[in-house]
């Protein structure tokens, strides 16, 4: 029976990847210890690999960007774990892949939602803010804001992403 079920899934690796990313995001949400553990054990690079390998998969994109949100999240205490994860995301050039993923899945409200949340968090780290601007994040956020006018939560996250991006003078100029 299991063999028939597995054969029925077109791409088991894609489905497994999306599921693992979703579970990672859930475990990291609001949990600095898990953020640190996942970050220390290569999760940031694995997320980047998943986005690179399965760029055309909306489910992988949604869950990978959701994982980026929670791995990169700055708590009020500005925990070291999140700074380390943000630094790693910058070193592996994740901001470029993030923008590319959002452009590829421009019609997905969930990709846009989690992408904007990830931009908001990553832009809080100065090096990533510059890289996001250079990668086209300002333009992609404006696109999200104009495309999803009836999706309040997407708009809210898009505005927060815009605010954090605009903290950088070069990015601020991109919005004018």
């Amino acid at each position: 029976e299991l063999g028939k079920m597995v054969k029925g899934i077109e791409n088991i690796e894609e489905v497994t990847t999306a599921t693992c990313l979703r579970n990672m995001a859930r475990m990291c949400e609001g949990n600095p210890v898990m953020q640190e553990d996942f970050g220390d054990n290569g999760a940031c690079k694995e997320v980047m690999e998943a986005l690179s390998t399965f760029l055309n998969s909306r489910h992988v994109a949604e869950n990978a960007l959701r994982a980026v949100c929670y791995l990169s999240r700055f708590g009020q205490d500005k925990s070291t774990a999140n700074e380390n994860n943000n630094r790693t995301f910058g070193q592996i050039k994740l901001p470029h892949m993030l923008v590319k993923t959002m452009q590829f899945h421009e019609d997905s409200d969930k990709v846009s939602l989690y992408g904007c949340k990830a931009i908001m968090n990553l832009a809080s780290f100065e090096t990533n803010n510059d890289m996001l601007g250079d990668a086209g994040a300002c333009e992609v956020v404006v696109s999200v804001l104009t495309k999803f006018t009836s999706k309040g939560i997407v708009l809210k996250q898009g505005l927060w992403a815009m605010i954090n991006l605009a903290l950088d003078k070069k990015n601020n100029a991109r919005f004018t």
Side-chain angles (χ1 to χ4, degrees):
E1 272 317 294
L2 183 59
K4 289 180 184 177
M5 287 173 46
V6 170
K7 287 180 184 176
I9 297 175
E10 209 167 281
N11 188 342
I12 189 75
E13 187 178 356
E14 178 184 328
V15 171
T16 303
T17 300
T19 302
C20 289
L21 290 165
R22 184 184 68 231
N23 290 336
M24 180 193 319
R26 286 178 177 167
M27 292 190 311
C28 287
E29 185 175 3
N31 189 334
V33 173
M34 292 303 287
Q35 292 166 351
E36 181 178 354
D37 286 349
F38 273 108
D40 288 349
N41 288 290
C44 299
K45 292 176 183 172
E46 290 298 325
V47 170
M48 176 70 158
E49 181 66 28
L51 285 171
S52 299
T53 303
F54 299 108
L55 178 63
N56 64 339
S57 169
R58 182 180 51 81
H59 294 295
V60 170
E62 287 172 11
N63 289 296
L65 296 183
R66 186 176 176 191
V68 171
C69 290
Y70 297 119
L71 285 167
S72 65
R73 185 178 221 154
F74 276 105
Q76 289 191 336
D77 63 345
K78 300 269 187 187
S79 72
T80 304
N82 295 332
E83 288 181 23
N84 289 339
N85 291 346
N86 269 282
R87 190 173 296 106
T88 300
F89 281 135
Q91 290 169 347
I92 62 174
K93 308 289 188 233
L94 181 103
H96 294 281
M97 181 54 75
L98 168 63
V99 170
K100 184 177 180 178
T101 301
M102 290 179 71
Q103 290 168 334
F104 192 88
H105 297 283
E106 65 183 352
D107 292 327
S108 170
D109 61 334
K110 287 185 180 179
V111 169
S112 294
L113 169 68
Y114 292 122
C116 285
K117 277 182 151 184
I119 289 170
M120 176 185 69
N121 293 341
L122 290 169
S124 298
F125 199 72
E126 188 176 338
T127 307
N128 291 343
N129 197 330
D130 293 339
M131 196 181 307
L132 283 161
D134 292 343
C138 299
E139 295 80 4
V140 83
V141 167
V142 169
S143 176
V144 166
L145 291 171
T146 56
K147 183 172 285 238
F148 295 102
T149 56
S150 65
K151 298 277 186 176
I153 189 69
V154 178
L155 291 174
K156 177 182 173 185
Q157 295 306 321
L159 289 171
W160 277 112
M162 181 183 264
I163 289 167
N164 283 2
L165 284 166
L167 294 173
D168 177 85
K169 286 183 181 181
K170 278 191 335 188
N171 289 345
N172 195 347
R174 288 180 168 110
F175 288 117
T176 57

